[in-house]
């Protein structure tokens, strides 16, 4: 499967407070959260972003809090994927668990401009910057995490496992 | 090949003789925790699993500490989800207001986390418990949901960086200064996905409060866990609290480390992390031109009795600068009571500080001490990201309780020596 979208570009160390400020965490409704996505990194972002867009960023994206509200807000805003030089550990885990596609790529962020269109081949992990005409390889996803994606997230993966145990 | 303390704890809980860095394991956890922000999502996901019950009513902790006492209708609704779930499934460790404290101070204090435990928490500062010689790490709500149902969680065994702290600490230098210095050295992703093992003669002499502070901020370097091998000081702390057996693990002499860092602590001064990253550290003494509007002394990082004593030592017989507001937050009800009995609360009130009930409150910009546009705070908390304590154009400086208290009196960032200490 391939996904294609317009990119919004962010820098290094985009923390979870920038992705969804704690002042909005008195709710866990994904639609409410999406209204404030990336607000403290770019206050106009929630009004500018369109469903199908893609976020690209520098290193350590999603550092800070464990709040799952961060990938939820991104997903609920209709953002198809996040591509970064690297991800903070808990954000990385949460994204897989809730089914937000994320990819680690070294040079794409530095070589892309905001508004470029990119295409991600979800199976091969190749990313094409269509505007610049340049291809990138993403860091391979560990096989266990591929299983999680195939199952449709951690809840579905666990449900299957629990059913197997019942059968036993 | 020898194993690190982290590898040993993970191996034991995965039912394996040994594990090594990079391996993905499924392991049994001793405790799962979530708070009023993360538990509502965890509970929603838990219900999707279709299981009849939680895996163990005694091994789940639900701690409504972030937006409590309930600050508005929305946060009250979130807290009610925890309460209803706790009563429905007879969760033993649910803490109502009046018993609740900041989770990472409360659970060790109650003896709910012990040496050798494997703990996951839907809160990034779960790594605090490494101070007890437990392996503890922050996860998201969905991971917590699955663990509440199965008692298990998947882990990638982390590589470990060993930190050796030696030399004699300078006056007013504590665990907070050492961890800020360390994060300043390695950066906010300097220990990404890794365990930070804190060792050396300085750690051997350090009280539990300082050890909690250091492990607490391991996440600020991107680490999966901070950990300290348990010793006599740990034993003294846990033996009066534990209601079940516990086990001390130690790293083998030939354990494999990805890196070893050594710090001569006699050269480390009181440190401050400047906006907007915990790694942006400078000696406090170089920041005397920075005027402040608010001081916060508290949080899971520095809201323990020892931290309040340190602040009280500075504030005794002094007044907070007229243009500054100081908010002091004992992390638990027990700490509050102990501080009251020791006369610390009286010192704070005489100094014109306000004492808050236990809450995470201002640390995350939740409530009980929010910054206006352009305002600046010095806080003993753990993060100084943009907008962390309020308006996106406010600023947070991170420090020890001693530096925060001295700054409150001076009306600008300063060190205790400036007050004649």
């Amino acid at each position: 499967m391939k996904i294609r979208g317009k990119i919004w570009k962010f820098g290094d160390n985009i923390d979870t407070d920038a992705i969804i400020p704690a002042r909005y965490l008195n709710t866990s409704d994904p639609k409410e959260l999406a209204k404030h996505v990336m607000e403290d990194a770019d206050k106009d972002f929630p009004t500018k972003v369109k469903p199908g867009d893609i976020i690209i960023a520098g290193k350590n994206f999603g550092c800070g809090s464990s709040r799952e509200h961060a990938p939820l807000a991104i997903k609920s805003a209709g953002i198809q994927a996040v591509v970064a030089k690297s991800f903070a550990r808990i954000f990385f885990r949460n994204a897989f668990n809730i089914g937000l596609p994320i990819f680690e790529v070294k040079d794409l962020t530095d070589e892309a401009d905001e508004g470029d269109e990119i295409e991600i081949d979800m199976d091969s992990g190749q990313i094409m910057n269509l505007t610049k005409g340049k291809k990138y390889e993403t860091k391979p996803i560990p096989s266990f995490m591929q299983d999680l994606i195939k199952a449709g997230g951690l809840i579905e993966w666990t449900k299957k496992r629990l059913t197997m145990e019942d059968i036993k | 090949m020898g194993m690190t303390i982290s590898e040993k704890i993970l191996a034991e809980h995965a039912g394996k003789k040994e594990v090594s860095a990079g391996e993905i394991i499924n392991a049994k956890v001793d405790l799962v925790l979530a708070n009023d922000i993360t538990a509502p999502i965890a509970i929603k996901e838990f219900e999707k699993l279709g299981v009849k019950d939680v895996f163990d009513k005694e091994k789940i902790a639900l701690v409504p500490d972030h937006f409590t006492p309930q600050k508005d209708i929305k946060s009250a609704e979130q807290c009610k989800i925890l309460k209803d779930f706790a009563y429905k499934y007879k969760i033993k460790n649910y803490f109502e207001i009046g018993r609740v404290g900041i989770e990472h101070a409360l659970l060790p204090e109650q003896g709910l986390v012990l040496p050798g435990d494997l703990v996951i928490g839907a809160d990034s500062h779960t790594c605090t418990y490494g101070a007890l010689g437990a392996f503890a790490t922050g996860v998201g709500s969905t991971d917590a949901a699955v663990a509440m149902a199965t008692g298990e969680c998947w882990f990638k065994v982390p590589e470990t960086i060993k930190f050796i702290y030696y030399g004699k600490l300078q006056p007013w230098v504590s665990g907070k200064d050492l961890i800020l210095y360390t994060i300043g050295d390695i950066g906010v992703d300097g220990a990404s996905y890794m365990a930070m093992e804190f060792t050396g003669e300085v750690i051997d002499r350090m009280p539990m409060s300082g050890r909690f502070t250091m492990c607490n901020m391991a996440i600020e370097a991107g680490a999966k866990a901070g950990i300290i091998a348990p010793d006599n000081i740990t034993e003294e702390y846990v033996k009066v609290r534990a209601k079940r057996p516990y086990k001390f693990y130690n790293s083998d002499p030939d354990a494999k480390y990805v890196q070893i860092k050594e710090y001569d602590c006699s050269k480390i001064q009181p440190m401050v992390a400047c906006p907007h990253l915990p790694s942006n550290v400078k000696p406090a003494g170089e920041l005397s031109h920075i005027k402040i509007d608010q001081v916060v002394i508290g949080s899971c990082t520095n809201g323990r009795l020892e931290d309040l004593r340190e602040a009280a030592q500075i504030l005794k017989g002094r007044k907070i600068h007229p243009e500054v507001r100081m908010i002091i937050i004992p992390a638990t009800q027990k700490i509050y009571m102990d501080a009251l009995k020791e006369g610390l609360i009286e010192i704070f009130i005489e100094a014109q500080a306000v004492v808050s009930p236990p809450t995470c409150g201002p640390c995350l910009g939740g409530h009980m001490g929010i910054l206006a546009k352009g305002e600046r705070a010095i806080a003993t908390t753990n993060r100084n990201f943009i907008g962390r304590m309020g308006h996106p154009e406010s600023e947070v400086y991170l420090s020890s309780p001693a530096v925060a208290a001295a700054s409150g009196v001076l009306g600008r960032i300063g060190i205790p020596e400036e007050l004649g200490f």
Side-chain angles (χ1 to χ4, degrees):
Chain A
M1 195 182 100
K2 285 180 181 175
I3 57 172
R4 189 187 274 212
K6 200 180 87 158
I7 58 171
W8 295 97
K9 187 170 162 174
F10 293 90
D12 291 339
N13 303 316
I14 296 295
D15 60 80
T16 50
D17 281 279
I19 298 170
I20 181 73
R23 57 185 177 273
Y24 303 120
L25 296 186
N26 54 0
T27 175
S28 47
D29 177 2
K31 284 196 196 79
E32 281 295 312
L33 297 172
K35 287 182 193 164
H36 305 288
V37 65
M38 307 297 285
E39 190 178 288
D40 281 5
D42 174 359
K43 68 177 170 31
D44 301 323
F45 189 78
T47 51
K48 291 191 299 194
V49 68
K50 301 255 179 332
D53 289 351
I54 293 169
I55 286 177
I56 68 165
K59 63 173 187 165
N60 205 26
F61 186 88
C63 61
S65 154
S66 69
R67 63 188 71 151
E68 210 161 284
H69 311 62
L72 278 175
I74 291 174
K75 197 180 167 189
S76 178
I79 292 158
Q80 292 197 81
V82 182
V83 182
K85 287 185 193 170
S86 65
F87 290 92
R89 188 190 72 86
I90 307 176
F91 185 92
F92 184 81
R93 205 176 161 110
N94 285 346
F96 278 93
N97 285 348
I98 68 152
L100 171 71
I102 59 171
F103 300 90
E104 287 188 342
V105 191
K106 228 172 118 203
D107 302 316
L108 170 75
T109 307
D110 292 337
E111 294 172 3
D113 293 305
E114 190 150 284
D116 283 0
E117 196 180 24
I118 65 169
E119 185 178 75
I120 305 171
D121 184 327
M122 306 279 275
D123 304 314
S124 72
Q126 276 185 342
I127 300 186
M128 184 80 189
N129 183 332
L130 300 168
T131 310
K132 301 271 190 293
K134 199 163 173 193
K135 199 182 272 182
Y136 301 86
E137 296 292 331
T138 59
K139 195 172 153 187
I141 296 165
S143 65
F144 172 72
M145 306 200 77
Q146 287 182 16
D147 291 345
L148 281 187
I149 299 169
K150 276 182 211 146
L154 183 67
I155 293 294
E156 293 306 317
W157 181 83
T158 306
K159 272 164 90 172
K160 269 186 202 149
R161 227 184 102 217
L162 292 172
T163 320
M164 300 279 280
E165 278 171 19
D166 281 351
I167 295 164
K168 272 185 229 164
Chain B
M1 180 53 94
M3 287 196 285
T4 64
I5 175 171
S6 300
E7 288 165 347
K8 285 182 184 178
I9 296 172
L10 287 168
E12 174 83 27
H13 287 80
K16 290 177 163 229
K17 265 211 174 106
E18 53 179 45
V19 296
S20 54
E23 196 176 334
I24 289 181
I25 56 164
N26 212 42
K28 289 194 183 343
V29 298
D30 297 297
L31 189 74
V32 189
L33 73 123
N35 56 50
D36 53 311
I37 289 181
T38 59
I41 295 180
I43 290 166
K44 197 170 116 195
E45 296 301 312
F46 174 89
E47 301 291 1
K48 285 184 193 167
L49 286 168
V51 293
K52 288 190 195 79
D53 205 351
V54 296
F55 85 106
D56 191 326
K57 295 172 197 318
E58 298 193 6
K59 293 184 176 175
I60 294 169
L62 296 173
V63 190
D65 59 354
H66 278 60
F67 286 107
T68 53
Q70 285 77 335
K71 81 150 183 155
D72 55 17
I73 295 169
K74 280 182 174 176
S75 53
E77 301 284 353
Q78 299 287 294
C79 291
K80 191 167 179 299
I81 296 173
L82 271 69
K83 184 175 184 172
D84 291 346
F85 182 82
Y87 278 91
K88 180 178 173 187
Y89 290 100
K90 300 185 172 63
I91 306 290
K92 199 178 158 209
N93 300 304
Y94 163 72
F95 298 89
E96 192 48 87
I97 310 309
R99 298 77 164 176
V100 79
I102 296 175
E103 50 198 343
H104 309 308
L106 180 70
L107 302 186
E109 174 193 285
Q110 299 290 318
L112 293 172
V113 183
L114 296 170
D117 280 358
L118 177 59
V119 178
I120 60 164
D123 188 278
S124 61
H125 292 107
T126 301
C127 54
T128 309
Y129 314 133
L132 293 163
F135 187 91
T137 191
V139 296
S141 296
T142 302
D143 277 312
V146 168
M148 287 198 298
T150 65
E152 293 179 3
C153 186
W154 67 270
F155 298 87
K156 185 166 132 192
V157 179
E159 293 175 311
T160 297
I161 306 180
K162 182 177 182 172
F163 295 85
I164 304 168
Y165 298 87
Y166 67 91
K168 192 170 174 287
L169 287 180
Q170 289 190 35
W172 304 106
V173 170
S174 64
K176 184 61 166 283
D177 304 291
L178 300 191
I179 192 64
L180 288 178
Y181 184 89
T182 305
I183 297 165
D185 182 45
I186 67 171
V188 288
D189 61 351
S192 261
Y193 298 84
M194 297 174 197
M196 297 171 83
E197 191 175 319
F198 303 119
T199 73
E201 56 178 351
V202 174
I203 305 296
D204 294 343
R205 289 192 295 263
M206 188 176 280
M208 283 311 299
S209 57
R211 295 181 183 186
F212 281 124
T213 303
M214 290 191 70
C215 291
N216 173 272
M217 287 193 73
I219 179 67
E220 264 50 75
K224 182 168 198 160
I227 197 160
I228 294 171
D231 58 8
N232 288 338
I233 292 173
T234 325
E235 177 68 24
E236 287 299 311
Y237 183 88
V238 296
K239 74 178 183 195
V240 292
R241 296 175 162 86
K243 295 168 200 84
R244 58 182 166 89
Y246 50 90
K247 193 170 170 184
F248 281 17
Y249 292 87
N250 267 294
S251 293
D252 291 324
D254 60 342
K256 197 177 161 204
Y257 294 98
V258 67
Q259 203 183 353
I260 295 174
K261 304 274 295 181
E262 290 189 54
Y263 298 115
D264 178 357
C265 297
S266 63
K267 292 183 180 144
I268 297 176
Q269 302 169 55
M271 302 301 289
V272 170
C274 302
H276 291 285
L277 283 177
S279 58
N280 191 15
V281 299
K282 291 195 174 75
E286 292 176 14
L287 296 167
S288 53
H289 57 290
I290 306 285
K291 281 187 68 178
I292 52 164
D293 303 286
Q294 175 166 302
V295 181
V296 174
I297 297 175
S299 83
C300 59
T301 314
N302 282 115
R304 295 180 184 81
L305 188 61
E306 292 82 350
D307 300 313
L308 301 187
R309 283 181 187 144
E310 193 177 300
Q313 206 183 330
I314 306 281
L315 294 173
K316 191 172 185 181
R318 294 188 169 80
K319 296 272 187 246
I320 312 294
H321 189 278
E323 290 177 55
V324 173
R325 52 182 189 267
M326 184 183 287
I327 300 158
I328 299 179
I329 313 169
T332 68
Q333 289 285 84
K334 182 179 186 318
I335 294 168
Y336 202 143
M337 184 67 100
D338 290 346
L340 191 66
K341 286 180 182 163
E342 282 188 20
L344 309 183
I345 304 294
E346 194 178 331
I347 292 170
F348 297 147
I349 295 173
E350 289 285 351
Q352 296 174 344
V354 68
V355 183
S356 151
T359 180
C360 303
C363 170
L364 74 155
H367 63 151
M368 306 286 277
I370 302 302
L371 300 174
K373 182 177 177 177
E375 282 194 323
R376 205 179 267 153
I378 187 162
T380 67
T381 56
N382 42 58
R383 290 187 180 134
N384 55 355
F385 300 147
I386 291 169
R388 175 73 182 178
M389 200 175 274
H391 194 280
E393 287 171 49
S394 61
E395 290 183 345
V396 180
Y397 290 74
L398 305 174
S399 78
S400 68
V403 168
S407 303
V409 173
L410 292 161
R412 56 168 174 82
I413 294 180
I415 51 175
E417 281 83 348
E418 294 182 67
L419 297 170
F421 286 98

